[in-house]
Amino acid sequence: SDAYTPTAFNDKPLLTLRNLPGNTNYAGIQFSNNTGTYEWFQGAVQTTATRAEYVFQGYDGVSVYKEHLRIKENSDVTFAGDVSAGSLSKASDTTISILTAAENNSILKFRESTDNYGFTQQYQGTGNYFELLRHDNSGSGNTIYRVARNSDNITFYGNIILANTGRIQGIDTVSASTDAANKAYVDT
């Protein structure tokens, strides 16, 4: 018996699989039936002389082998398909948490084609604000709105457009029909 530790070498496993050294060599386990109509593989694939990544790969039952998941040595995980948490019939809360140490950022990226097109929803730990960025041929993106952690105010970096007969409700401080604040467009 040996206690597991997440930050040190665990030297007493019950099973060890070893591959010959070399990039793309692997050690893993294959799952299949005796006719080979389905196949799954999981294991470590060597990527450098001292590193390997853990992969889940399988046959789609028609004609293609696919890598479904890859865990890199730096803890990055790549999923090739959709990821679900919970179910529509679950009768309790489901939480997805993005956690980081102080002064670091929590980021969700929504991209198409390249890193230059799409949106980023992020909490900036260094500036202590939550924001949405738009990427239109720009990797860094343009801020659409920002909410400071210590404020209920939202700062918009573009126009606010009300569709059809949309109204801003709950505002009673507008007093004149001016270009900046037209009371005719505000419900009080």
Side-chain angles (χ1 to χ4, degrees):
S1 173
D2 189 31
Y4 167 77
T5 177
T7 58
F9 178 64
N10 293 285
D11 61 346
K12 294 182 176 49
L14 295 178
L15 176 68
T16 299
L17 303 175
R18 296 186 184 196
N19 61 275
L20 293 173
N23 288 358
T24 73
N25 285 353
Y26 63 88
I29 301 172
Q30 181 185 39
F31 302 89
S32 187
N33 59 21
N34 63 353
T35 60
T37 56
Y38 80 87
E39 181 178 307
W40 283 92
F41 169 85
Q42 65 179 347
V45 178
Q46 192 166 341
T47 56
T48 70
T50 60
R51 298 186 187 279
E53 297 177 355
Y54 200 80
V55 299
F56 288 84
Q57 182 243 28
Y59 181 65
D60 71 358
V62 180
S63 63
V64 179
Y65 285 88
K66 299 176 182 176
E67 186 172 289
H68 301 283
L69 175 113
R70 181 175 285 254
I71 304 171
K72 296 185 176 184
E73 68 278 348
N74 66 359
S75 298
D76 286 352
V77 179
T78 301
F79 294 89
D82 294 340
V83 177
S84 299
S87 70
L88 297 176
S89 61
K90 185 179 175 197
S92 60
D93 296 342
T94 299
T95 302
I96 297 176
S97 299
I98 301 175
L99 308 172
T100 186
E103 303 297 316
N104 289 287
N105 305 326
S106 300
I107 302 169
L108 279 175
K109 291 184 176 183
F110 304 91
R111 295 293 194 282
E112 60 172 309
S113 181
T114 71
D115 209 32
N116 291 332
Y117 297 96
F119 291 88
T120 299
Q121 187 81 63
Q122 64 185 1
Y123 175 74
Q124 283 280 350
T126 52
N128 296 318
Y129 55 82
F130 185 78
E131 68 181 352
L132 177 67
L133 301 173
R134 176 182 53 83
H135 302 270
D136 187 20
N137 200 23
S138 166
S140 59
N142 297 310
T143 303
I144 294 174
Y145 69 81
R146 185 176 288 167
V147 182
R149 185 180 67 190
N150 61 355
S151 172
D152 293 332
N153 298 325
I154 300 175
T155 303
F156 290 93
Y157 289 79
N159 295 328
I160 298 174
I161 300 172
L162 301 177
N164 301 320
T165 58
R167 293 192 167 293
I168 300 173
Q169 298 182 359
I171 300 173
D172 60 5
T173 57
V174 178
S175 59
S177 293
T178 66
D179 290 339
N182 190 335
K183 190 166 178 64
Y185 290 98
V186 180
D187 286 339
T188 57

